[in-house]
Amino acid sequence: TLIVDSWYYGQSTISPLNQVLYNVLPEEGAGPNIFGTEDWSFYLQNLLLNLNLSVLGLVLYPVLWLVDAWIVRIWDDDKQKMMERIIYLSPPMLWLLVMVNQPHKEERFLAPTYTLLCLLAAVSWGDLISVLANWRGKARWRRWFGVMMIVCLGGASLAAGLSRSYAQIKYYSAPLQVFAKLSKEELSGDKGARLYTGGAAREVNVCVGKEWYRFPSHFFMPQHRRYRIRFVESGFDGLLPRYFSEDAKWRGLGTRAPTEGFNPYNKAEPGQFIERPDEQCHYFVDWVPHSEQSRQEAEQSNPIPPGQRQAVVASEFLDAGATDRLARALWIPGYSAARARYGQYVAFRHLGLLPRASGPAPSPARSPQPDPEPEEREL
């Protein structure tokens, strides 16, 4: 990374060192804690959601060592194998120990350890099954007991994993769907913005407000510099991303340009928001929550004038605050469908800037209404 980072930044850069210095030895008013803090239970909840029964295997790991030392021999008296277990299986535990003691926590901080955590859990479950299967009884029954334990644990873990994965896709894939469809049908299609903006030189601004952190990158935007993501003031007072310099003198290496408009304190900088969103936002992407009050607040924060906005793309997005914890954590047939509450993830078009090419002008569209309560739906 030293060579690659130094090439793109145009100077000697050791990114891992910069990360350590900022997080461990920050200047006053900076550091990771300004981005929010959580207690130790944050990682426990994430591990339970993402690894389900494997988390019990992590807990069993130190317990099995105590059982082996004081109650029954689990492993052979081979010191080399014992040391191999310690060398290969202890790093994820050390990583967890370090991360749990950091006030600022994020789920992605556990990502480097997931494969080793799964290995550790598998070894622990294997050892436990071996102990239970060889505790007492005839060899035939011990063998069948071991097989049944593997089938039950593996099946339960697989079912929980699939349930969690399906819930994530169903509940939270709306931003990807909306931006993909917006790009394909509105920005690049035969009815897209290119027909109404007066040539390729004019920029098309796709604006976001409070949903800035769910923007799934320019991968879902047309591969042309005229299409820009812009930020609208929405109560967020932290730093926002910016484009690299596109000055021709940098010959496509805008990463080497001096950085402006950033600070180590996560405080908003002038110029990170679009100046006149009601006149400059061709599209506005936002989440319209389930409740009537929240929906009205979302409509008020939409910079496109009510008489000139039209919802062109929409998809269901879970309203986590209005859905009970179990229903949003896992997809349980029948139970989750009855208790999940959805808002709408919507892309609005500014009809004043991008009128329809032909046909009668559509009536101003309100934000999509949420689904009715489950008792009002037809089964």
Side-chain angles (χ1 to χ4, degrees), residues 4-289:
V4 174
D5 290 343
S6 298
W7 165 258
Y8 278 101
Y9 288 122
Q11 58 184 350
S12 297
T13 302
I14 306 177
S15 297
L17 176 60
N18 293 338
Q19 182 179 11
V20 171
L21 292 176
Y22 183 82
N23 287 279
V24 180
L25 300 172
E27 60 181 276
E28 185 177 356
N33 294 355
I34 64 176
F35 298 95
T37 60
E38 301 285 348
D39 61 25
W40 63 272
S41 64
F42 177 82
Y43 282 144
L44 177 60
Q45 293 178 27
N46 278 276
L47 288 174
L48 286 171
L49 286 173
N50 296 323
L51 299 182
N52 53 75
L53 293 180
S54 298
V55 176
L56 299 179
L58 304 181
V59 177
L60 284 174
Y61 179 64
V63 174
L64 288 171
W65 281 89
L66 298 177
V67 171
D68 178 77
W70 294 335
I71 302 176
V72 62
R73 303 304 298 175
I74 301 174
W75 306 297
D76 297 331
D77 293 329
D78 188 333
K79 293 184 178 181
Q80 181 178 352
K81 290 184 178 180
M82 300 285 283
M83 290 304 299
E84 288 177 353
R85 281 177 174 267
I86 294 175
I87 292 172
Y88 292 121
L89 300 181
S90 294
M93 304 300 287
L94 295 176
W95 183 280
L96 283 177
L97 183 62
V98 172
M99 292 294 105
V100 164
N101 284 283
Q102 301 300 314
H104 176 62
K105 298 177 177 63
E106 294 185 35
E107 182 181 357
R108 62 191 177 98
F109 294 165
L110 298 181
T113 66
Y114 275 149
T115 52
L116 283 176
L117 288 174
C118 290
L119 173 62
L120 176 56
V123 171
S124 297
W125 280 120
D127 290 338
L128 178 64
I129 292 172
S130 178
V131 171
L132 296 177
N134 291 283
W135 188 264
R136 290 179 182 177
K138 297 181 180 180
R140 177 185 176 185
W141 296 112
R142 292 200 304 265
R143 183 171 60 254
W144 277 107
F145 178 80
V147 171
M148 291 303 298
M149 284 282 290
I150 293 173
V151 171
C152 291
L153 289 173
S157 181
L158 178 62
L162 291 175
S163 176
R164 175 64 177 170
S165 298
Y166 182 77
Q168 292 288 92
I169 295 171
K170 180 174 179 60
Y171 291 154
Y172 303 113
S173 62
L176 300 180
Q177 296 175 8
V178 167
F179 274 100
K181 193 170 183 179
L182 177 68
S183 176
K184 181 179 180 180
E185 298 187 1
E186 281 288 321
L187 304 182
S188 326
D190 56 4
K191 60 179 180 180
R194 58 187 175 82
L195 300 177
Y196 309 99
T197 51
R202 183 175 175 183
E203 289 187 350
V204 175
N205 296 318
V206 179
C207 298
V208 291
K210 65 180 186 295
E211 293 296 300
W212 65 270
Y213 61 96
R214 290 196 177 108
F215 171 61
S217 85
H218 268 267
F219 179 82
F220 290 90
M221 300 276 279
Q223 299 302 307
H224 195 293
R225 291 184 179 181
R226 65 187 293 228
Y227 297 98
R228 300 291 177 144
I229 192 73
R230 301 296 184 189
F231 301 112
V232 176
E233 288 191 74
S234 60
F236 177 72
D237 59 357
L239 273 177
L240 291 170
R242 292 196 178 198
Y243 286 99
F244 290 109
S245 174
E246 296 175 289
D247 195 311
K249 69 178 182 179
W250 298 109
R251 299 180 181 180
L253 289 174
T255 51
R256 296 186 175 186
T259 56
E260 298 179 355
F262 291 98
N263 62 74
Y265 313 110
N266 194 30
K267 294 183 178 179
E269 290 278 347
Q272 70 179 19
F273 299 110
I274 194 168
E275 295 180 358
R276 302 185 307 278
D278 58 327
E279 300 176 5
Q280 296 176 300
C281 289
H282 297 84
Y283 294 92
F284 182 68
V285 181
D286 198 18
W287 176 53
V288 182

